[in-house]
Amino acid sequence: MKRKDFSNLEITVQDKKDTIFEHEQYVAGIAPNLRGIHATMYFQIPLETKISTNSFSKANVAPENEIATFLAESLNFIQKGINSNTKIDKIVSELSFETKIGKNHFDEIAKMRAVRMLWSKLIKQFNPKNQSSFALDINATIETSFDAFQAIFGGCQCVISGDKKHLFFQEETRILKTIDPWAGSTYVEKMTEEIATKAWLLFEK
Amino acid sequence: MSDFFINEFPPSSSAAWKQKIQFELDGADYNKTLLTKTNEGITISPFYHLDTFEKVIIPLPKEDCKICIKINISTEETANIEALAAIDKGISAILFEASKPFNATLLFHDLVHKNVEFHFKFNFLEESFINKLALILADETVYFNIDIIGKLARTGNWYTSIKKDNSILLNLIKKNPDLFILSVDATIYQNAGANAVQQVAYALAHANEYLTIFGADIAKRIQFNFATGSNYFFEIAKIRAFRYLYNLVLSEYNTTAIAKIYAEPSLRNKTLYGAAINTLRRTAESMSAILGGATTIATNFTSDKFTQNQQPILNETRTFKNAQHIATDTYYIEYVTKQFAEKALTIFKDIEKSGGFLSQLKEGTIQRKIKENAQKEQQQFDTNELVLIGANKYPAQFDSEEDIQVSTFLKGKSYKTLIIPLLPKRLSEKVEQKNRRDEA
């Protein structure tokens, strides 16, 4: 057969997503507030690694329950602080989300994205002066090296692990070059929305 | 949850976000601090936002990805036992490697009708044997992976001669028009050091040589083999961009196809020591291939290592249903995919304009381009810009177990060749050789 002429072939680009979620702009957009981290995360504040000799096994808690419990405990802590006349920014700086990372890869990513959204919503009502009070620090304890993968995708500040093998993800996969890399994914955004909605309902109860 | 945030926070724009970043940077240069330039000519932004969203529409397979194990046929009986054991453990595809014709009745005893797909890798080309095999496996899904151009690229020689190889291939396809006789083996491009955009372009141009000979009818009957490296999102985008461009090229042939893509972990970044780190690498690579929409992934473990090394990969990947759709609409992946498609198409057009892939292979142009990128990567590795932990960073801090899947040190060719062959090269070879000498 004669060779085809491909010189006029061009790609077709479209700028529409299949589905847009209401929260997308907030999760990925002005993220420094709502995702609760610096936009320059991992550049100015490198991902921290801690070695822990404590072994753990992940309790079977649904992500929404874990978040709701965290929000309730945080609120309790904040109210106590306010009652003793401590400033909101000072109180908040003492709080962080200590989480154990489970095996369901995308559930864990969505969990961390959801907890950041809900944290900022919770903190907003106390009118903090400091922008970074909207920021939630997440410390992720992992059971096996591979769990660090979902912890980093979710945007944790610190990985706590029994050994250093998980450094592979930081050093070789280039996944820290852009923030919230799964943002926009219909699958991940839907899961984030579901977990956030359920967790807030549970928390309000 | 429509009003969930709108009541409390104003919406954002990428301009606003960039402004905030610049404030946080406190005088540091945005471009220098936060942009990452890659060997593909892509610039990775520190963030991606809905308001700059762009994508190309990727044709995706309907079925979930199959997980494949490699079995080398030393004897038919032992290979058969290995295969049965693998199927018991949940493997859904098997690749048999053979260096000579074998007794297929013996090998496939009790292996058929188990909903397992079979792949072959022969380092010989024998028409009557393949026809017989096709007959015995008539009810099975089989990929014969015959790739005469790939053989030329890998070894520098045809099986026999261009004329003889072509005529055998032609006969095989004529006799078995509905089977996957052909493959395009793009693994060698990755393993020899081509970047992701080059790999997509070369796989396309390589395939177009077969399309030029066999026409549109063959389009749906080619399997593509890719090797997956550890640049996670780029590897997802690589397979997606290829899927898109393959269909774009096929539009010139007035046909479409959802390409069959078999992906295996790259050799390039594996280290001789630190088997556990290699397992993490392979697991991440398998995941990116699945999320990229590969139809079969091979994990490169032989069956004796199966339980200890393959199990984690199976566990990670089994939970993924419809994984080929997860990347859809992800800002970052869609951006990189579109960039890859644009850049690979340009290279593809250039190759076609200069007479096609085979002609560029004979001239040594493809080899030269790959070597340029490979040398760039090697230099990045040598200066620790590209890191392999346990090799050029944190040496000797991980387990010292030797990885039996990594062939120690590759030798150069020792035979006469028609063209310059593309040889796989691991980035850490040099430093490992040096360490060995130091120990001795």
mmCIF file of all heavy atoms in Angstrom, chain B residues 213-236:
data_model
loop_
_atom_site.group_PDB
_atom_site.id
_atom_site.type_symbol
_atom_site.label_atom_id
_atom_site.label_comp_id
_atom_site.label_asym_id
_atom_site.label_seq_id
_atom_site.Cartn_x
_atom_site.Cartn_y
_atom_site.Cartn_z
ATOM 1 N N ILE B 213 1.625 -1.943 5.259
ATOM 2 C CA ILE B 213 1.656 -3.222 4.554
ATOM 3 C C ILE B 213 0.274 -3.884 4.543
ATOM 4 O O ILE B 213 -0.216 -4.313 3.509
ATOM 5 C CB ILE B 213 2.644 -4.209 5.225
ATOM 6 C CG1 ILE B 213 4.051 -3.609 5.297
ATOM 7 C CG2 ILE B 213 2.686 -5.540 4.458
ATOM 8 C CD1 ILE B 213 5.031 -4.438 6.119
ATOM 9 N N PHE B 214 -0.363 -3.958 5.717
ATOM 10 C CA PHE B 214 -1.564 -4.796 5.847
ATOM 11 C C PHE B 214 -2.874 -4.026 5.781
ATOM 12 O O PHE B 214 -3.942 -4.634 5.703
ATOM 13 C CB PHE B 214 -1.516 -5.600 7.155
ATOM 14 C CG PHE B 214 -0.331 -6.524 7.236
ATOM 15 C CD1 PHE B 214 0.732 -6.255 8.083
ATOM 16 C CD2 PHE B 214 -0.270 -7.660 6.434
ATOM 17 C CE1 PHE B 214 1.825 -7.106 8.141
ATOM 18 C CE2 PHE B 214 0.827 -8.513 6.486
ATOM 19 C CZ PHE B 214 1.880 -8.240 7.343
ATOM 20 N N GLY B 215 -2.803 -2.702 5.860
ATOM 21 C CA GLY B 215 -4.015 -1.905 5.728
ATOM 22 C C GLY B 215 -4.874 -1.876 6.975
ATOM 23 O O GLY B 215 -4.499 -2.410 8.027
ATOM 24 N N ALA B 216 -6.031 -1.257 6.856
ATOM 25 C CA ALA B 216 -6.916 -0.979 7.991
ATOM 26 C C ALA B 216 -7.355 -2.231 8.735
ATOM 27 O O ALA B 216 -7.613 -2.188 9.940
ATOM 28 C CB ALA B 216 -8.134 -0.210 7.502
ATOM 29 N N ASP B 217 -7.447 -3.369 8.006
ATOM 30 C CA ASP B 217 -7.978 -4.581 8.649
ATOM 31 C C ASP B 217 -7.137 -5.041 9.834
ATOM 32 O O ASP B 217 -7.645 -5.701 10.737
ATOM 33 C CB ASP B 217 -8.062 -5.725 7.625
ATOM 34 C CG ASP B 217 -9.097 -5.431 6.563
ATOM 35 O OD1 ASP B 217 -9.907 -4.497 6.806
ATOM 36 O OD2 ASP B 217 -9.095 -6.102 5.518
ATOM 37 N N ILE B 218 -5.870 -4.716 9.808
ATOM 38 C CA ILE B 218 -4.988 -5.211 10.856
ATOM 39 C C ILE B 218 -5.071 -4.348 12.127
ATOM 40 O O ILE B 218 -4.659 -4.768 13.214
ATOM 41 C CB ILE B 218 -3.529 -5.295 10.327
ATOM 42 C CG1 ILE B 218 -2.704 -6.271 11.173
ATOM 43 C CG2 ILE B 218 -2.835 -3.941 10.319
ATOM 44 C CD1 ILE B 218 -3.091 -7.706 10.980
ATOM 45 N N ALA B 219 -5.633 -3.157 12.003
ATOM 46 C CA ALA B 219 -5.607 -2.179 13.100
ATOM 47 C C ALA B 219 -6.108 -2.725 14.431
ATOM 48 O O ALA B 219 -5.559 -2.422 15.476
ATOM 49 C CB ALA B 219 -6.408 -0.942 12.699
ATOM 50 N N LYS B 220 -7.152 -3.539 14.375
ATOM 51 C CA LYS B 220 -7.728 -4.064 15.614
ATOM 52 C C LYS B 220 -7.020 -5.317 16.094
ATOM 53 O O LYS B 220 -7.370 -5.888 17.117
ATOM 54 C CB LYS B 220 -9.211 -4.386 15.403
ATOM 55 C CG LYS B 220 -10.106 -3.160 15.277
ATOM 56 C CD LYS B 220 -11.565 -3.604 15.231
ATOM 57 C CE LYS B 220 -12.524 -2.438 15.260
ATOM 58 N NZ LYS B 220 -12.454 -1.571 14.052
ATOM 59 N N ARG B 221 -6.057 -5.780 15.356
ATOM 60 C CA ARG B 221 -5.423 -7.070 15.651
ATOM 61 C C ARG B 221 -3.937 -6.929 15.981
ATOM 62 O O ARG B 221 -3.151 -7.802 15.676
ATOM 63 C CB ARG B 221 -5.600 -8.017 14.447
ATOM 64 C CG ARG B 221 -7.034 -8.432 14.227
ATOM 65 C CD ARG B 221 -7.432 -9.528 15.203
ATOM 66 N NE ARG B 221 -8.851 -9.844 15.144
ATOM 67 C CZ ARG B 221 -9.761 -9.312 15.969
ATOM 68 N NH1 ARG B 221 -9.403 -8.443 16.882
ATOM 69 N NH2 ARG B 221 -11.037 -9.647 15.869
ATOM 70 N N ILE B 222 -3.572 -5.791 16.544
ATOM 71 C CA ILE B 222 -2.183 -5.589 16.975
ATOM 72 C C ILE B 222 -2.181 -5.418 18.490
ATOM 73 O O ILE B 222 -3.013 -4.690 19.025
ATOM 74 C CB ILE B 222 -1.567 -4.314 16.344
ATOM 75 C CG1 ILE B 222 -1.667 -4.348 14.823
ATOM 76 C CG2 ILE B 222 -0.101 -4.158 16.764
ATOM 77 C CD1 ILE B 222 -1.149 -3.078 14.136
ATOM 78 N N GLN B 223 -1.270 -6.083 19.164
ATOM 79 C CA GLN B 223 -1.083 -5.779 20.582
ATOM 80 C C GLN B 223 0.146 -4.868 20.713
ATOM 81 O O GLN B 223 1.150 -5.068 20.041
ATOM 82 C CB GLN B 223 -0.888 -7.038 21.412
ATOM 83 C CG GLN B 223 -0.512 -6.711 22.855
ATOM 84 C CD GLN B 223 -0.758 -7.843 23.829
ATOM 85 O OE1 GLN B 223 -1.808 -7.949 24.456
ATOM 86 N NE2 GLN B 223 0.221 -8.717 23.959
ATOM 87 N N PHE B 224 0.040 -3.878 21.594
ATOM 88 C CA PHE B 224 1.153 -2.959 21.833
ATOM 89 C C PHE B 224 1.784 -3.265 23.179
ATOM 90 O O PHE B 224 1.069 -3.406 24.175
ATOM 91 C CB PHE B 224 0.654 -1.507 21.794
ATOM 92 C CG PHE B 224 0.177 -1.111 20.434
ATOM 93 C CD1 PHE B 224 -1.144 -1.335 20.060
ATOM 94 C CD2 PHE B 224 1.052 -0.554 19.510
ATOM 95 C CE1 PHE B 224 -1.587 -0.996 18.788
ATOM 96 C CE2 PHE B 224 0.612 -0.215 18.241
ATOM 97 C CZ PHE B 224 -0.710 -0.436 17.878
ATOM 98 N N ASN B 225 3.092 -3.380 23.176
ATOM 99 C CA ASN B 225 3.790 -3.650 24.433
ATOM 100 C C ASN B 225 4.564 -2.411 24.860
ATOM 101 O O ASN B 225 5.399 -1.904 24.107
ATOM 102 C CB ASN B 225 4.778 -4.804 24.273
ATOM 103 C CG ASN B 225 4.107 -6.093 23.834
ATOM 104 O OD1 ASN B 225 2.894 -6.130 23.636
ATOM 105 N ND2 ASN B 225 4.872 -7.140 23.681
ATOM 106 N N PHE B 226 4.262 -1.951 26.056
ATOM 107 C CA PHE B 226 4.979 -0.798 26.599
ATOM 108 C C PHE B 226 5.688 -1.184 27.895
ATOM 109 O O PHE B 226 5.192 -2.025 28.638
ATOM 110 C CB PHE B 226 4.006 0.353 26.918
ATOM 111 C CG PHE B 226 3.578 1.128 25.710
ATOM 112 C CD1 PHE B 226 2.380 0.840 25.066
ATOM 113 C CD2 PHE B 226 4.379 2.155 25.227
ATOM 114 C CE1 PHE B 226 1.986 1.561 23.945
ATOM 115 C CE2 PHE B 226 3.977 2.887 24.107
ATOM 116 C CZ PHE B 226 2.785 2.580 23.465
ATOM 117 N N ALA B 227 6.817 -0.547 28.167
ATOM 118 C CA ALA B 227 7.447 -0.685 29.475
ATOM 119 C C ALA B 227 7.158 0.590 30.252
ATOM 120 O O ALA B 227 7.193 1.683 29.696
ATOM 121 C CB ALA B 227 8.945 -0.909 29.346
ATOM 122 N N THR B 228 6.848 0.402 31.538
ATOM 123 C CA THR B 228 6.409 1.523 32.361
ATOM 124 C C THR B 228 7.496 1.918 33.354
ATOM 125 O O THR B 228 7.958 1.083 34.130
ATOM 126 C CB THR B 228 5.141 1.109 33.144
ATOM 127 O OG1 THR B 228 4.250 0.463 32.246
ATOM 128 C CG2 THR B 228 4.462 2.303 33.750
ATOM 129 N N GLY B 229 7.862 3.169 33.352
ATOM 130 C CA GLY B 229 8.856 3.669 34.294
ATOM 131 C C GLY B 229 8.190 4.217 35.543
ATOM 132 O O GLY B 229 6.973 4.085 35.719
ATOM 133 N N SER B 230 8.969 4.888 36.402
ATOM 134 C CA SER B 230 8.351 5.268 37.671
ATOM 135 C C SER B 230 7.903 6.722 37.757
ATOM 136 O O SER B 230 7.463 7.166 38.798
ATOM 137 C CB SER B 230 9.259 4.900 38.849
ATOM 138 O OG SER B 230 10.527 5.444 38.646
ATOM 139 N N ASN B 231 7.969 7.462 36.667
ATOM 140 C CA ASN B 231 7.405 8.814 36.660
ATOM 141 C C ASN B 231 5.880 8.674 36.534
ATOM 142 O O ASN B 231 5.310 8.734 35.444
ATOM 143 C CB ASN B 231 7.994 9.602 35.486
ATOM 144 C CG ASN B 231 7.653 11.069 35.556
ATOM 145 O OD1 ASN B 231 6.776 11.481 36.316
ATOM 146 N ND2 ASN B 231 8.333 11.861 34.754
ATOM 147 N N TYR B 232 5.251 8.498 37.690
ATOM 148 C CA TYR B 232 3.884 7.982 37.792
ATOM 149 C C TYR B 232 2.862 8.596 36.826
ATOM 150 O O TYR B 232 2.264 7.913 36.010
ATOM 151 C CB TYR B 232 3.416 8.162 39.229
ATOM 152 C CG TYR B 232 2.185 7.386 39.610
ATOM 153 C CD1 TYR B 232 2.222 6.011 39.709
ATOM 154 C CD2 TYR B 232 1.000 8.035 39.903
ATOM 155 C CE1 TYR B 232 1.099 5.289 40.085
ATOM 156 C CE2 TYR B 232 -0.125 7.322 40.287
ATOM 157 C CZ TYR B 232 -0.069 5.957 40.375
ATOM 158 O OH TYR B 232 -1.188 5.251 40.746
ATOM 159 N N PHE B 233 2.671 9.901 36.924
ATOM 160 C CA PHE B 233 1.621 10.514 36.117
ATOM 161 C C PHE B 233 1.992 10.560 34.634
ATOM 162 O O PHE B 233 1.122 10.479 33.770
ATOM 163 C CB PHE B 233 1.279 11.911 36.646
ATOM 164 C CG PHE B 233 0.550 11.842 37.956
ATOM 165 C CD1 PHE B 233 1.181 12.153 39.144
ATOM 166 C CD2 PHE B 233 -0.762 11.420 38.001
ATOM 167 C CE1 PHE B 233 0.511 12.058 40.349
ATOM 168 C CE2 PHE B 233 -1.456 11.327 39.199
ATOM 169 C CZ PHE B 233 -0.816 11.646 40.384
ATOM 170 N N PHE B 234 3.282 10.674 34.352
ATOM 171 C CA PHE B 234 3.709 10.661 32.957
ATOM 172 C C PHE B 234 3.441 9.298 32.323
ATOM 173 O O PHE B 234 3.120 9.203 31.144
ATOM 174 C CB PHE B 234 5.202 11.009 32.856
ATOM 175 C CG PHE B 234 5.471 12.491 32.844
ATOM 176 C CD1 PHE B 234 4.639 13.366 33.511
ATOM 177 C CD2 PHE B 234 6.554 13.013 32.148
ATOM 178 C CE1 PHE B 234 4.875 14.728 33.500
ATOM 179 C CE2 PHE B 234 6.801 14.378 32.126
ATOM 180 C CZ PHE B 234 5.964 15.237 32.802
ATOM 181 N N GLU B 235 3.579 8.255 33.114
ATOM 182 C CA GLU B 235 3.332 6.912 32.581
ATOM 183 C C GLU B 235 1.847 6.697 32.316
ATOM 184 O O GLU B 235 1.469 6.064 31.339
ATOM 185 C CB GLU B 235 3.871 5.850 33.537
ATOM 186 C CG GLU B 235 5.398 5.855 33.646
ATOM 187 C CD GLU B 235 6.097 5.542 32.321
ATOM 188 O OE1 GLU B 235 5.506 4.837 31.482
ATOM 189 O OE2 GLU B 235 7.230 6.016 32.123
ATOM 190 N N ILE B 236 1.016 7.248 33.190
ATOM 191 C CA ILE B 236 -0.436 7.186 32.947
ATOM 192 C C ILE B 236 -0.736 7.930 31.643
ATOM 193 O O ILE B 236 -1.436 7.430 30.757
ATOM 194 C CB ILE B 236 -1.225 7.818 34.126
ATOM 195 C CG1 ILE B 236 -1.014 7.000 35.408
ATOM 196 C CG2 ILE B 236 -2.714 7.927 33.793
ATOM 197 C CD1 ILE B 236 -1.670 7.610 36.651
#
